[in-house]
């Protein structure tokens, strides 16, 4: 959790499907679930003030995590300002988690 942002990784395909319904996108579809099972990508869910908001698809290549796609409600594109804010908050959340695990 960073300020009013909370980032979670779905624990199973059911939770991913529920998220897709909540934010009105297709992230809960079987193609996303298969990609996750095969470690092709991972999905991170972002809430603002505990309300579902952004869906982030990450790819990992040679140990480096890259944002492949980031969408708002109903698959809306993020403005550049929104994208920068989400990426900044997510980066801070990752750093906090790394310190917790150290």
């Amino acid at each position: 959790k960073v300020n009013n942002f909370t980032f979670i990784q779905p624990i199973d395909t059911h939770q991913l499907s529920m998220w897709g319904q909540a934010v009105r996108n297709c992230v809960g579809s079987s193609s996303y679930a298969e990609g996750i099972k095969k470690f092709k990508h991972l999905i991170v869910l972002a809430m603002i003030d505990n309300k579902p908001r952004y869906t982030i698809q990450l790819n990992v290549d040679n140990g480096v995590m890259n944002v492949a796609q980031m969408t708002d409600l109903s698959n809306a594109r993020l403005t550049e300002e929104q994208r920068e804010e989400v990426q900044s908050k997510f980066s801070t959340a990752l750093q906090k988690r790394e310190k917790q695990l150290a």
Side-chain angles (χ1 to χ4, degrees):
K1 185 164 179 133
V2 177
N3 299 337
N4 60 335
F5 276 72
T6 302
F7 296 94
I8 59 172
Q9 192 173 357
I11 57 171
D12 56 27
T13 55
H14 177 71
Q15 188 179 32
L16 187 63
S17 177
M18 296 299 290
W19 179 270
Q21 290 174 22
V23 297
R24 299 177 303 283
N25 69 25
C26 61
V27 76
S29 72
S30 62
S31 63
Y32 279 94
E34 284 304 309
I36 292 167
K37 287 179 188 174
K38 294 177 181 175
F39 301 103
K40 290 184 177 182
H41 55 257
L42 57 116
I43 303 292
V44 173
L45 316 173
M47 297 188 295
I48 299 177
D49 296 324
N50 294 317
K51 294 182 182 127
R53 185 63 187 266
Y54 302 114
T55 305
I56 306 164
Q57 180 182 343
L58 301 162
N59 295 333
V60 179
D61 186 27
N62 292 321
V64 177
M65 202 178 325
N66 298 300
V67 175
Q69 183 177 359
M70 191 182 310
T71 61
D72 201 342
L73 300 172
S74 300
N75 281 338
R77 288 181 165 249
L78 278 67
T79 65
E80 191 59 36
E81 293 80 23
Q82 287 173 312
R83 188 175 192 79
E84 288 174 11
E85 180 182 32
V86 174
Q87 286 180 323
S88 173
K89 302 277 187 185
F90 183 59
S91 178
T92 300
L94 284 176
Q95 291 168 11
K96 284 175 101 175
R97 185 65 178 146
E98 191 174 328
K99 286 179 184 173
Q100 290 173 343
L101 296 172

